[in-house]
Amino acid sequence: MKRSARNVFWAGMGAVALMSVAAPARAADPSEEECLAANGDWGRLRDAGKLKAARARLLVCAAPSCPGPVRDECTKRIDDVNAALPSVVLDARSGAGATLTSVKVTLDGEPLTDVLDGKAIALDPGPHTFVFSSAEGSAEQKIMVKEGAKDVSVTAVLGATAPPPPSPPKPQGDATVPPPPAESPSSMKTIGYVVGGVGLAGITLGGVFGIVAISKNSSANCHPNDCSNSDAKPADRTSAQGSADIATVGFIAGGVLTAAGVAFVLFAPKDSKADAPPTARWEFSPRVGANGGGLWLGRTW
Protein backbone atom coordinates (compact mmCIF):
# COMPACT_ATOMS: atom_id res chain seq x y z
CA MET A 1 0.00 0.00 0.00
CA LYS A 2 2.81 2.36 0.73
CA ARG A 3 4.36 1.82 -2.70
CA SER A 4 0.97 2.35 -4.38
CA ALA A 5 0.41 5.58 -2.49
CA ARG A 6 3.87 6.81 -3.45
CA ASN A 7 3.18 6.15 -7.14
CA VAL A 8 -0.12 7.99 -6.99
CA PHE A 9 1.66 10.99 -5.38
CA TRP A 10 4.32 11.28 -8.12
CA ALA A 11 1.72 10.82 -10.86
CA GLY A 12 -0.29 13.70 -9.43
CA MET A 13 2.81 15.94 -9.24
CA GLY A 14 3.61 15.18 -12.89
CA ALA A 15 0.11 16.12 -13.98
CA VAL A 16 0.38 19.41 -12.11
CA ALA A 17 3.74 20.13 -13.79
CA LEU A 18 2.33 19.42 -17.22
CA MET A 19 -0.61 21.70 -16.59
CA SER A 20 1.67 24.49 -15.40
CA VAL A 21 3.79 24.24 -18.57
CA ALA A 22 0.87 23.97 -20.96
CA ALA A 23 -1.02 26.90 -19.46
CA PRO A 24 1.41 29.67 -20.59
CA ALA A 25 1.60 28.16 -24.07
CA ARG A 26 -2.16 28.32 -24.42
CA ALA A 27 -2.20 31.85 -22.94
CA ALA A 28 0.26 33.07 -25.68
CA ASP A 29 -2.11 32.06 -28.45
CA PRO A 30 -4.61 34.83 -29.33
CA SER A 31 -8.30 34.08 -29.12
CA GLU A 32 -10.60 34.35 -32.10
CA GLU A 33 -11.82 37.73 -30.87
CA GLU A 34 -8.23 38.99 -30.57
CA CYS A 35 -7.46 37.73 -34.07
CA LEU A 36 -10.43 39.57 -35.54
CA ALA A 37 -9.57 42.76 -33.64
CA ALA A 38 -5.95 42.68 -34.87
CA ASN A 39 -7.14 42.09 -38.43
CA GLY A 40 -9.30 45.20 -38.18
CA ASP A 41 -6.60 47.37 -36.59
CA TRP A 42 -3.66 46.92 -38.95
CA GLY A 43 -5.33 48.67 -41.89
CA ARG A 44 -6.08 51.84 -39.91
CA LEU A 45 -2.52 51.90 -38.57
CA ARG A 46 -1.15 51.40 -42.09
CA ASP A 47 -3.13 54.35 -43.43
CA ALA A 48 -1.90 56.53 -40.54
CA GLY A 49 1.73 55.79 -41.44
CA LYS A 50 2.32 53.73 -38.28
CA LEU A 51 3.86 50.80 -40.09
CA LYS A 52 5.63 49.29 -37.08
CA ALA A 53 2.38 49.09 -35.10
CA ALA A 54 0.57 47.73 -38.16
CA ARG A 55 3.13 44.95 -38.51
CA ALA A 56 2.79 44.06 -34.82
CA ARG A 57 -0.98 43.65 -35.22
CA LEU A 58 -0.51 41.52 -38.35
CA LEU A 59 1.76 39.18 -36.38
CA VAL A 60 -1.10 38.68 -33.91
CA CYS A 61 -3.72 37.76 -36.49
CA ALA A 62 -1.22 35.56 -38.38
CA ALA A 63 -0.86 33.25 -35.34
CA PRO A 64 -1.75 29.54 -35.82
CA SER A 65 -4.67 29.81 -33.37
CA CYS A 66 -6.47 32.37 -35.58
CA PRO A 67 -9.16 31.27 -38.07
CA GLY A 68 -7.72 30.07 -41.36
CA PRO A 69 -9.00 32.85 -43.67
CA VAL A 70 -7.92 35.56 -41.20
CA ARG A 71 -4.52 33.94 -40.68
CA ASP A 72 -3.88 33.66 -44.43
CA GLU A 73 -4.86 37.28 -45.10
CA CYS A 74 -2.65 38.64 -42.29
CA THR A 75 0.31 36.52 -43.36
CA LYS A 76 0.07 37.90 -46.89
CA ARG A 77 -0.17 41.51 -45.67
CA ILE A 78 2.96 41.18 -43.52
CA ASP A 79 5.12 41.09 -46.65
CA ASP A 80 3.50 44.27 -48.00
CA VAL A 81 4.08 46.17 -44.76
CA ASN A 82 7.68 44.96 -44.52
CA ALA A 83 8.35 46.26 -48.06
CA ALA A 84 6.97 49.70 -47.17
CA LEU A 85 8.67 49.91 -43.77
CA PRO A 86 11.82 52.11 -44.06
CA SER A 87 15.05 51.48 -42.19
CA VAL A 88 18.16 53.43 -41.22
CA VAL A 89 21.77 52.54 -40.39
CA LEU A 90 23.35 54.68 -37.67
CA ASP A 91 27.01 55.72 -37.74
CA ALA A 92 29.07 57.98 -35.47
CA ARG A 93 32.59 59.35 -35.93
CA SER A 94 34.95 61.27 -33.69
CA GLY A 95 36.32 64.65 -34.68
CA ALA A 96 39.47 62.88 -35.89
CA GLY A 97 37.42 60.51 -38.08
CA ALA A 98 37.53 57.36 -35.91
CA THR A 99 34.47 55.07 -35.86
CA LEU A 100 32.55 55.06 -32.55
CA THR A 101 30.43 52.16 -31.28
CA SER A 102 29.58 53.00 -27.63
CA VAL A 103 27.09 55.70 -28.45
CA LYS A 104 23.66 56.32 -26.94
CA VAL A 105 21.03 57.28 -29.47
CA THR A 106 17.53 58.62 -28.92
CA LEU A 107 14.82 58.72 -31.59
CA ASP A 108 12.32 61.57 -31.26
CA GLY A 109 13.17 61.87 -27.56
CA GLU A 110 12.86 58.15 -26.79
CA PRO A 111 15.83 55.80 -26.11
CA LEU A 112 16.72 53.81 -29.22
CA THR A 113 20.08 52.03 -28.69
CA ASP A 114 23.30 52.14 -26.68
CA VAL A 115 25.55 50.41 -29.21
CA LEU A 116 26.08 51.05 -32.91
CA ASP A 117 26.63 47.70 -34.63
CA GLY A 118 25.89 48.60 -38.24
CA LYS A 119 22.53 46.80 -38.32
CA ALA A 120 19.49 48.35 -39.96
CA ILE A 121 16.79 49.76 -37.67
CA ALA A 122 13.17 49.85 -38.85
CA LEU A 123 11.09 52.97 -38.18
CA ASP A 124 7.97 54.69 -39.43
CA PRO A 125 8.22 57.06 -42.42
CA GLY A 126 8.28 60.82 -41.78
CA PRO A 127 10.52 63.38 -40.06
CA HIS A 128 12.70 62.10 -37.23
CA THR A 129 15.27 63.56 -34.83
CA PHE A 130 18.26 61.50 -33.72
CA VAL A 131 20.49 62.57 -30.83
CA PHE A 132 23.91 60.88 -30.54
CA SER A 133 25.80 61.04 -27.21
CA SER A 134 29.18 59.64 -26.15
CA ALA A 135 32.28 60.60 -24.18
CA GLU A 136 33.49 62.62 -27.19
CA GLY A 137 30.38 64.83 -27.25
CA SER A 138 26.87 64.93 -28.66
CA ALA A 139 25.24 65.79 -31.97
CA GLU A 140 21.74 66.03 -33.39
CA GLN A 141 20.62 64.86 -36.82
CA LYS A 142 17.20 65.61 -38.33
CA ILE A 143 16.16 63.65 -41.41
CA MET A 144 13.06 62.91 -43.48
CA VAL A 145 12.64 59.16 -44.01
CA LYS A 146 10.59 58.17 -47.04
CA GLU A 147 8.33 55.14 -47.15
CA GLY A 148 10.10 52.11 -48.62
CA ALA A 149 13.60 53.60 -48.17
CA LYS A 150 16.02 50.98 -46.95
CA ASP A 151 19.30 51.34 -45.01
CA VAL A 152 19.34 55.15 -45.02
CA SER A 153 22.68 56.28 -43.56
CA VAL A 154 22.50 58.65 -40.57
CA THR A 155 25.98 59.84 -39.57
CA ALA A 156 26.98 62.13 -36.71
CA VAL A 157 30.36 63.65 -35.86
CA LEU A 158 30.99 63.84 -32.11
CA GLY A 159 33.64 66.20 -30.77
CA ALA A 160 35.58 69.01 -32.35
CA THR A 161 37.05 68.42 -35.77
CA ALA A 162 40.76 68.96 -36.39
CA PRO A 163 41.55 72.52 -37.54
CA PRO A 164 42.80 72.94 -41.10
CA PRO A 165 46.57 73.35 -41.55
CA PRO A 166 47.70 76.99 -41.47
CA SER A 167 48.38 78.63 -44.79
CA PRO A 168 52.01 79.55 -45.53
CA PRO A 169 52.91 83.11 -44.46
CA LYS A 170 53.08 85.78 -47.09
CA PRO A 171 56.58 87.11 -47.85
CA GLN A 172 57.50 90.27 -45.96
CA GLY A 173 60.21 92.90 -46.14
CA ASP A 174 62.62 92.32 -49.00
CA ALA A 175 60.36 89.95 -50.87
CA THR A 176 61.01 89.98 -54.57
CA VAL A 177 58.51 92.13 -56.41
CA PRO A 178 57.60 90.72 -59.80
CA PRO A 179 58.72 92.99 -62.64
CA PRO A 180 56.06 94.89 -64.55
CA PRO A 181 54.92 93.18 -67.72
CA ALA A 182 56.83 94.13 -70.80
CA GLU A 183 55.03 96.20 -73.33
CA SER A 184 53.74 94.22 -76.25
CA PRO A 185 55.32 94.68 -79.69
CA SER A 186 52.11 96.09 -81.11
CA SER A 187 51.93 98.84 -78.46
CA MET A 188 55.56 99.86 -79.05
CA LYS A 189 55.02 100.08 -82.79
CA THR A 190 51.91 102.16 -82.22
CA ILE A 191 53.93 104.56 -80.06
CA GLY A 192 56.55 104.71 -82.81
CA TYR A 193 54.02 105.59 -85.46
CA VAL A 194 52.51 108.31 -83.27
CA VAL A 195 55.86 109.81 -82.30
CA GLY A 196 57.08 109.65 -85.90
CA GLY A 197 53.91 111.31 -87.11
CA VAL A 198 54.36 114.14 -84.63
CA GLY A 199 57.98 114.49 -85.78
CA LEU A 200 56.96 114.75 -89.42
CA ALA A 201 54.40 117.36 -88.45
CA GLY A 202 57.18 119.31 -86.68
CA ILE A 203 59.39 119.17 -89.78
CA THR A 204 56.50 120.33 -91.94
CA LEU A 205 55.79 123.17 -89.53
CA GLY A 206 59.47 124.16 -89.57
CA GLY A 207 59.44 124.20 -93.37
CA VAL A 208 56.37 126.42 -93.46
CA PHE A 209 57.81 128.90 -91.00
CA GLY A 210 61.14 128.79 -92.86
CA ILE A 211 59.41 129.86 -96.05
CA VAL A 212 57.58 132.60 -94.11
CA ALA A 213 60.87 133.80 -92.63
CA ILE A 214 62.52 133.95 -96.09
CA SER A 215 59.55 135.88 -97.45
CA LYS A 216 59.61 138.37 -94.59
CA ASN A 217 63.35 138.75 -94.91
CA SER A 218 62.90 139.67 -98.55
CA SER A 219 60.19 142.22 -97.74
CA ALA A 220 62.38 143.72 -95.02
CA ASN A 221 65.22 144.19 -97.55
CA CYS A 222 67.71 142.55 -95.30
CA HIS A 223 70.39 139.98 -95.88
CA PRO A 224 69.29 136.45 -95.04
CA ASN A 225 71.92 136.32 -92.30
CA ASP A 226 71.78 139.96 -91.24
CA CYS A 227 68.71 142.15 -90.74
CA SER A 228 70.51 144.98 -89.00
CA ASN A 229 70.60 147.45 -91.92
CA SER A 230 68.81 150.66 -91.20
CA ASP A 231 66.62 150.54 -94.31
CA ALA A 232 64.73 147.41 -93.11
CA LYS A 233 61.44 147.91 -91.29
CA PRO A 234 61.69 147.04 -87.59
CA ALA A 235 58.38 145.13 -87.56
CA ASP A 236 59.33 143.03 -90.57
CA ARG A 237 62.71 142.28 -89.08
CA THR A 238 61.14 141.14 -85.80
CA SER A 239 58.54 138.97 -87.56
CA ALA A 240 61.15 137.44 -89.86
CA GLN A 241 63.39 136.62 -86.89
CA GLY A 242 60.46 134.98 -84.97
CA SER A 243 59.48 132.86 -87.96
CA ALA A 244 63.07 131.78 -88.37
CA ASP A 245 63.23 130.73 -84.68
CA ILE A 246 60.00 128.71 -84.98
CA ALA A 247 61.30 127.06 -88.14
CA THR A 248 64.52 126.10 -86.37
CA VAL A 249 62.66 124.58 -83.39
CA GLY A 250 60.30 122.76 -85.71
CA PHE A 251 63.13 121.23 -87.73
CA ILE A 252 65.06 120.14 -84.62
CA ALA A 253 62.10 118.78 -82.64
CA GLY A 254 60.57 117.20 -85.74
CA GLY A 255 63.82 115.50 -86.62
CA VAL A 256 64.27 114.13 -83.09
CA LEU A 257 60.68 112.87 -82.89
CA THR A 258 60.85 111.31 -86.32
CA ALA A 259 64.06 109.50 -85.39
CA ALA A 260 62.47 108.32 -82.14
CA GLY A 261 59.41 107.01 -83.98
CA VAL A 262 61.57 105.09 -86.43
CA ALA A 263 63.54 103.62 -83.51
CA PHE A 264 60.35 102.49 -81.78
CA VAL A 265 59.18 100.72 -84.91
CA LEU A 266 62.52 99.15 -85.79
CA PHE A 267 63.53 98.02 -82.31
CA ALA A 268 60.15 96.78 -81.09
CA PRO A 269 60.55 93.20 -79.69
CA LYS A 270 59.15 90.36 -81.69
CA ASP A 271 56.12 88.36 -80.52
CA SER A 272 56.99 85.79 -77.83
CA LYS A 273 55.19 83.20 -75.73
CA ALA A 274 53.46 84.20 -72.51
CA ASP A 275 56.07 82.44 -70.37
CA ALA A 276 59.11 84.06 -72.05
CA PRO A 277 61.30 86.28 -69.80
CA PRO A 278 60.58 90.01 -69.90
CA THR A 279 62.44 91.97 -72.58
CA ALA A 280 63.83 95.48 -72.63
CA ARG A 281 61.44 98.39 -73.17
CA TRP A 282 62.08 101.50 -75.17
CA GLU A 283 61.34 104.71 -73.29
CA PHE A 284 60.98 108.18 -74.77
CA SER A 285 60.53 111.12 -72.41
CA PRO A 286 61.59 114.75 -71.91
CA ARG A 287 64.48 115.37 -69.50
CA VAL A 288 65.33 118.61 -67.68
CA GLY A 289 68.70 119.22 -66.06
CA ALA A 290 70.82 122.00 -64.60
CA ASN A 291 72.25 122.86 -68.01
CA GLY A 292 69.00 122.77 -69.97
CA GLY A 293 66.46 120.25 -71.26
CA GLY A 294 65.97 117.84 -74.11
CA LEU A 295 64.35 114.59 -75.27
CA TRP A 296 65.65 111.23 -74.01
CA LEU A 297 65.37 107.94 -75.93
CA GLY A 298 66.70 104.71 -74.44
CA ARG A 299 65.93 101.11 -73.35
CA THR A 300 64.99 100.06 -69.84
CA TRP A 301 64.59 96.59 -68.28
Side-chain angles (χ1 to χ4, degrees):
M1 293 296 295
K2 291 183 179 180
R3 179 178 298 178
S4 176
R6 190 182 302 111
N7 292 337
V8 171
F9 172 79
W10 287 113
M13 292 298 294
V16 171
L18 289 174
M19 291 177 60
S20 63
V21 172
R26 288 195 301 269
D29 295 330
S31 63
E32 182 176 349
E33 290 77 10
E34 292 173 338
C35 294
L36 296 175
N39 187 33
D41 291 341
W42 81 265
R44 291 189 294 270
L45 295 171
R46 170 68 175 82
D47 295 339
K50 300 179 179 180
L51 300 184
K52 292 183 65 177
R55 185 177 63 175
R57 297 303 286 162
L58 285 172
L59 292 175
V60 173
C61 61
S65 61
C66 292
V70 174
R71 181 177 65 251
D72 295 341
E73 179 68 16
C74 291
T75 302
K76 183 175 65 174
R77 296 302 180 186
I78 289 176
D79 294 335
D80 297 336
V81 173
N82 284 333
L85 191 66
S87 62
V88 296
V89 177
L90 305 180
D91 183 25
R93 304 294 177 93
S94 67
T99 300
L100 304 177
T101 56
S102 297
V103 179
K104 294 183 178 180
V105 183
T106 62
L107 172 62
D108 301 328
E110 298 295 332
L112 179 62
T113 183
D114 292 338
V115 177
L116 302 184
D117 53 8
K119 296 180 180 179
I121 299 176
L123 72 169
D124 292 328
H128 295 285
T129 301
F130 296 87
V131 177
F132 297 74
S133 301
S134 71
E136 284 75 11
S138 62
E140 181 180 275
Q141 291 287 353
K142 294 184 178 182
I143 65 170
M144 173 66 72
V145 183
K146 297 182 179 180
E147 184 175 306
K150 300 296 184 181
D151 301 340
V152 178
S153 178
V154 182
T155 303
V157 177
L158 308 181
T161 58
S167 57
K170 295 182 179 180
Q172 302 289 336
D174 57 350
T176 303
V177 178
E183 295 184 10
S184 63
S186 60
S187 63
M188 291 195 62
K189 288 185 178 181
T190 301
I191 295 174
Y193 291 137
V194 172
V195 173
V198 174
L200 292 176
I203 294 174
T204 302
L205 181 65
V208 171
F209 275 90
I211 295 173
V212 172
I214 293 173
S215 175
K216 290 183 178 182
N217 279 337
S218 298
S219 63
N221 296 321
C222 62
H223 190 274
N225 296 325
D226 186 9
C227 289
S228 60
N229 58 315
S230 58
D231 295 336
K233 297 177 182 180
D236 291 338
R237 289 200 305 270
T238 302
S239 179
Q241 187 64 46
S243 298
D245 293 340
I246 294 175
T248 301
V249 174
F251 278 123
I252 295 174
V256 173
L257 293 175
T258 301
V262 172
F264 271 106
V265 174
L266 294 179
F267 295 100
K270 297 181 180 180
D271 293 335
S272 59
K273 295 182 179 180
D275 56 353
T279 58
R281 296 184 299 165
W282 283 95
E283 183 177 345
F284 175 76
S285 61
R287 296 293 175 91
V288 179
N291 298 325
L295 298 172
W296 183 83
L297 175 65
R299 302 185 74 178
T300 60
W301 295 86

Coordinates of all heavy atoms in Angstrom, one line a residue, residues 86-90 107 112 118-123 128 130 143 145 149-154:
P86 N 10.4 51.7 -43.8 CA 11.8 52.1 -44.1 C 12.7 51.7 -42.9 O 12.3 51.3 -41.9 CB 11.7 53.6 -44.1 CG 10.5 53.9 -43.3 CD 9.6 52.8 -43.4
S87 N 14.1 51.8 -43.2 CA 15.1 51.5 -42.2 C 16.2 52.4 -42.3 O 16.5 53.0 -43.4 CB 15.5 50.0 -42.3 OG 16.1 49.8 -43.6
V88 N 17.0 52.6 -41.2 CA 18.2 53.4 -41.2 C 19.3 52.6 -40.6 O 19.1 51.7 -39.9 CB 17.9 54.7 -40.4 CG1 16.8 55.6 -41.0 CG2 17.6 54.4 -38.9
V89 N 20.5 53.1 -41.0 CA 21.8 52.5 -40.4 C 22.5 53.7 -39.7 O 22.8 54.7 -40.4 CB 22.6 51.9 -41.5 CG1 23.9 51.4 -40.8 CG2 21.9 50.7 -42.1
L90 N 22.7 53.6 -38.4 CA 23.3 54.7 -37.7 C 24.9 54.5 -37.7 O 25.4 53.4 -37.6 CB 22.8 54.7 -36.2 CG 21.3 54.7 -36.1 CD1 20.9 54.7 -34.6 CD2 20.7 56.0 -36.8
L107 N 15.6 58.5 -30.4 CA 14.8 58.7 -31.6 C 13.6 59.5 -31.2 O 12.7 58.9 -30.4 CB 14.5 57.4 -32.3 CG 13.5 57.5 -33.4 CD1 14.0 58.4 -34.6 CD2 13.1 56.1 -33.9
L112 N 16.7 54.7 -28.1 CA 16.7 53.8 -29.2 C 17.8 52.7 -29.1 O 17.4 51.5 -29.2 CB 17.0 54.6 -30.5 CG 17.0 53.8 -31.8 CD1 15.6 53.1 -32.0 CD2 17.3 54.7 -33.0
G118 N 26.0 48.6 -36.8 CA 25.9 48.6 -38.2 C 24.6 47.9 -38.8 O 24.5 47.8 -40.0
K119 N 23.8 47.5 -37.9 CA 22.5 46.8 -38.3 C 21.4 47.8 -38.6 O 21.4 48.9 -38.0 CB 22.0 45.8 -37.2 CG 23.0 44.7 -37.0 CD 22.4 43.8 -35.9 CE 23.4 42.6 -35.6 NZ 22.8 41.7 -34.5
A120 N 20.6 47.5 -39.6 CA 19.5 48.4 -40.0 C 18.4 48.4 -38.9 O 18.1 47.4 -38.2 CB 18.9 47.9 -41.3
I121 N 17.8 49.6 -38.7 CA 16.8 49.8 -37.7 C 15.5 50.2 -38.4 O 15.6 51.2 -39.1 CB 17.2 50.8 -36.6 CG1 18.5 50.3 -35.9 CG2 16.1 51.1 -35.6 CD1 19.1 51.3 -34.9
A122 N 14.4 49.5 -38.2 CA 13.2 49.9 -38.8 C 12.5 51.0 -38.1 O 12.5 51.0 -36.8 CB 12.3 48.6 -38.9
L123 N 11.8 51.9 -38.8 CA 11.1 53.0 -38.2 C 10.0 53.5 -39.1 O 10.1 53.2 -40.3 CB 12.0 54.1 -37.8 CG 12.6 55.0 -38.8 CD1 13.3 56.2 -38.2 CD2 13.6 54.3 -39.7
H128 N 12.2 62.7 -38.5 CA 12.7 62.1 -37.2 C 13.9 62.9 -36.8 O 14.7 63.5 -37.6 CB 13.1 60.6 -37.4 CG 11.9 59.7 -37.7 ND1 11.0 59.4 -36.7 CD2 11.5 59.2 -38.9 CE1 10.1 58.6 -37.3 NE2 10.4 58.4 -38.6
F130 N 17.4 62.4 -34.4 CA 18.3 61.5 -33.7 C 19.2 62.3 -32.9 O 19.8 63.3 -33.4 CB 19.0 60.6 -34.7 CG 18.2 59.7 -35.5 CD1 17.6 60.1 -36.7 CD2 18.0 58.4 -35.1 CE1 16.9 59.3 -37.5 CE2 17.2 57.5 -35.9 CZ 16.6 58.0 -37.1
I143 N 16.3 64.2 -40.0 CA 16.2 63.7 -41.4 C 14.7 63.4 -41.7 O 13.9 63.3 -40.8 CB 17.0 62.4 -41.6 CG1 16.4 61.2 -40.8 CG2 18.5 62.6 -41.4 CD1 17.0 59.9 -41.1
V145 N 12.5 60.5 -43.5 CA 12.6 59.2 -44.0 C 11.4 58.9 -44.9 O 10.3 59.0 -44.4 CB 12.7 58.2 -42.8 CG1 12.9 56.7 -43.4 CG2 13.9 58.5 -41.9
A149 N 12.2 53.4 -48.1 CA 13.6 53.6 -48.2 C 14.3 52.6 -47.2 O 13.9 52.5 -46.1 CB 13.9 55.0 -47.8
K150 N 15.3 52.0 -47.7 CA 16.0 51.0 -46.9 C 17.5 51.4 -46.7 O 18.1 52.0 -47.5 CB 16.0 49.6 -47.7 CG 14.6 49.1 -48.0 CD 13.9 48.7 -46.7 CE 12.5 48.1 -47.1 NZ 11.7 47.8 -45.9
D151 N 17.9 51.1 -45.4 CA 19.3 51.3 -45.0 C 19.8 52.8 -45.3 O 20.9 53.0 -45.8 CB 20.2 50.4 -45.7 CG 19.9 48.9 -45.4 OD1 19.2 48.7 -44.4 OD2 20.2 48.0 -46.2
V152 N 19.0 53.7 -44.9 CA 19.3 55.1 -45.0 C 20.4 55.5 -44.0 O 20.3 55.2 -42.8 CB 18.1 56.1 -44.8 CG1 18.5 57.5 -44.9 CG2 17.1 55.8 -45.8
S153 N 21.5 56.0 -44.4 CA 22.7 56.3 -43.6 C 22.4 57.6 -42.8 O 22.1 58.6 -43.3 CB 24.0 56.4 -44.4 OG 25.1 56.7 -43.5
V154 N 22.6 57.5 -41.5 CA 22.5 58.6 -40.6 C 23.8 58.7 -39.8 O 24.1 57.9 -39.0 CB 21.3 58.5 -39.6 CG1 21.2 59.8 -38.7 CG2 20.0 58.3 -40.4

